[in-house]
Structure formats: structure tokens, C-alpha cells
Amino acid sequence: MAGLSLDVLRTGKKYRLTNFRETHEFIVENILSNGDFKVKDLLTLECYRLKELLTYGKGADYYLEEIESQ
């Protein structure tokens, strides 16, 4: 599936990641020097690193999209 690359993520923007039938909506809080991102989940308000979501690889349904700000 076509979608955004991790290279285009920007601080302060909201994104939706679908991977292995799980959907996560988050806002990027900080871009880390190792190529990872500190993100905040929009539903649970939990903070974590984006690579934690991709630990087990990318599924066939992997799709990353920007959520329009309202």
C-alpha cells in the first residue's frame, strides 16, 4: 500500500499508523538523533518511541497517513 515514509514526519503533526490490523493515532513530539521519533498517543496520551510500534516489522497492511488538523 502507498503511504507516507517515516522520513517525512514532522514535529507537531498528527499521524495514523495501521500495521498488523492495529491502528495508532499519534502526534510527533520530538525527532531523535538516532532516526526515531518520540510520539504521544492521541487516545491514551501515552508517550513512546515510534520504533516500538515497528519492532516486529511491517505487515502487509502497513499504512502511514497524516491526520488533518481540525
Side-chain angles (χ1 to χ4, degrees):
M1 295 181 118
L4 294 176
S5 168
L6 294 178
D7 297 340
V8 300
L9 298 184
R10 299 291 178 248
T11 303
K13 298 282 186 172
K14 297 176 184 177
Y15 298 94
R16 179 180 299 121
L17 173 66
T18 303
N19 194 25
F20 292 111
R21 296 186 197 141
E22 293 183 2
T23 300
H24 301 274
E25 294 183 358
F26 57 88
I27 186 167
V28 176
E29 290 191 327
N30 198 2
I31 300 171
L32 305 175
S33 62
N34 63 356
D36 201 358
F37 300 87
K38 181 181 174 192
V39 299
K40 183 176 185 178
D41 192 289
L42 294 176
L43 301 175
T44 65
L45 303 179
E46 177 184 3
C47 292
Y48 50 88
R49 293 177 185 223
L50 187 58
K51 288 192 178 179
E52 291 176 20
L53 295 178
L54 302 176
T55 300
Y56 300 106
K58 295 180 181 178
D61 64 340
Y62 176 84
Y63 190 73
L64 179 62
E65 62 185 325
E66 185 175 350
I67 300 172
E68 296 295 324
S69 298
Q70 300 166 344

